[in-house]
Amino acid sequence: LFIGKIFTFAATILIWLTYKTQKEELSQTVEIAKKQSWTLKIQQFENTYFNLLENLHSLINNMTSINGNTKGKKYLHDLFEEYTISVDDDQTYQSLKIITKDTTKIDELELIKKSLMKHYNTLFERNSFNLGHFFRYIHNIIKYVNDELAEYESLRKKYLSFLQAQLSNDELAFIMYNSLSKFSLDKNNNPTFKEYIDYYGILENIDDEIGRASCRERV
């Protein structure tokens, strides 16, 4: 009887050890499966994301001015120069800028913004066939990263920093003005594009001169 109890106890120990080993192996298998799933998810995400960035280059390079004389980044640069000149030649705006210098009053900042948006809106309407597509594409890239990596804020910011790094000062400037304009509102009139731009710091490394203006305008 005593020997039988010993065998019973030994069998119980063996069963427990077997169960423990299988449980550890299962846990390791699950962990490996999670890592493989995550690796696959990131690979699929990166394939799509970097294709989107590559397509963005093609989109910009294929932009052509109304008269067909300039293309790509040169076209965007000339367009931003056109905008700058129109603002510089606006005596009403220049007087307003002097009067409201260093102001922090919301109503005065709104006047500055409204004056600048008038010039931007005119420029956009004449070039919407290029700019509209450009901004929608930028918006969709940001939305794709935001949705696909919804639970991983640091990764979202990391990948969107790649987008920011590939944008020229002219492109960043246009993104800034567009995010403030009526053309960036979604179908429910919400400033979703501006919220993305602000949250992910897309304008963080914008040229100092443009950046100073953005601080006053982004009210």
Side-chain angles (χ1 to χ4, degrees):
L1 181 64
F2 178 72
I3 294 174
K5 289 183 178 180
I6 291 176
F7 278 120
T8 300
F9 178 74
T12 302
I13 293 296
L14 286 173
I15 292 171
W16 180 80
L17 289 173
T18 301
Y19 168 76
K20 181 181 178 184
T21 301
Q22 289 177 340
K23 185 178 180 181
E24 289 174 351
E25 289 175 350
L26 178 61
S27 178
Q28 291 172 358
T29 301
V30 169
E31 191 63 30
I32 290 171
K34 284 181 179 179
K35 289 180 180 179
Q36 290 175 337
S37 176
W38 171 249
T39 300
L40 180 61
K41 176 182 173 67
I42 288 297
Q43 287 175 343
Q44 292 173 335
F45 166 80
E46 287 187 345
N47 285 338
T48 301
Y49 179 63
F50 288 113
N51 279 334
L52 288 172
L53 293 187
E54 187 64 30
N55 290 337
L56 176 61
H57 284 300
S58 297
L59 186 156
I60 293 170
N61 291 334
N62 288 324
M63 286 184 180
T64 306
S65 62
I66 297 172
N67 58 20
N69 291 340
T70 56
K71 292 184 67 175
K73 290 184 179 292
K74 178 68 166 58
Y75 158 71
L76 286 173
H77 178 73
D78 290 351
L79 201 59
F80 190 67
E81 286 294 307
E82 180 184 334
Y83 169 79
T84 303
I85 291 170
S86 70
V87 171
D88 289 342
D89 290 344
D90 184 344
Q91 294 304 313
T92 301
Y93 168 73
Q94 295 302 329
S95 298
L96 182 62
K97 187 170 72 170
I98 294 171
I99 293 170
T100 61
K101 183 180 180 182
D102 299 325
T103 186
T104 57
K105 295 180 179 178
I106 296 298
D107 56 341
E108 292 181 349
L109 290 172
E110 282 290 351
L111 288 175
I112 287 282
K113 176 182 172 182
K114 184 177 180 180
S115 182
L116 288 170
M117 286 299 100
K118 178 184 71 175
H119 292 277
Y120 175 78
N121 291 345
T122 300
L123 188 78
F124 180 91
E125 287 167 354
R126 287 205 313 270
N127 294 270
S128 60
F129 60 98
N130 278 323
L131 295 180
H133 190 190
F134 172 69
F135 295 127
R136 284 194 301 274
Y137 201 85
I138 293 288
H139 188 168
N140 283 328
I141 289 177
I142 298 174
K143 187 176 186 303
Y144 173 72
V145 175
N146 186 73
D147 292 350
E148 289 296 309
L149 301 176
E151 300 176 10
Y152 308 98
E153 181 182 20
S154 61
L155 281 181
R156 295 199 307 269
K157 291 185 175 182
K158 169 190 169 182
Y159 282 107
L160 286 174
S161 70
F162 297 153
L163 169 66
Q164 180 202 50
Q166 296 188 42
L167 295 169
S168 68
N169 279 329
D170 297 320
E171 291 154 10
L172 287 171
F174 273 129
I175 287 172
M176 180 190 75
Y177 286 113
N178 186 260
S179 71
L180 294 168
S181 76
K182 61 183 180 181
F183 302 110
S184 71
L185 300 176
D186 65 20
K187 62 182 179 181
N188 297 316
N189 284 325
N190 295 319
T192 309
F193 185 58
K194 181 179 182 299
E195 290 170 357
Y196 278 148
I197 295 302
D198 289 344
Y199 182 77
Y200 289 114
I202 301 298
L203 302 177
E204 195 173 70
N205 296 323
I206 198 168
D207 180 78
D208 286 345
E209 184 175 346
I210 298 170
R212 282 193 293 272
S214 73
C215 291
R216 288 166 58 81
E217 293 154 26
R218 297 181 73 76
V219 295

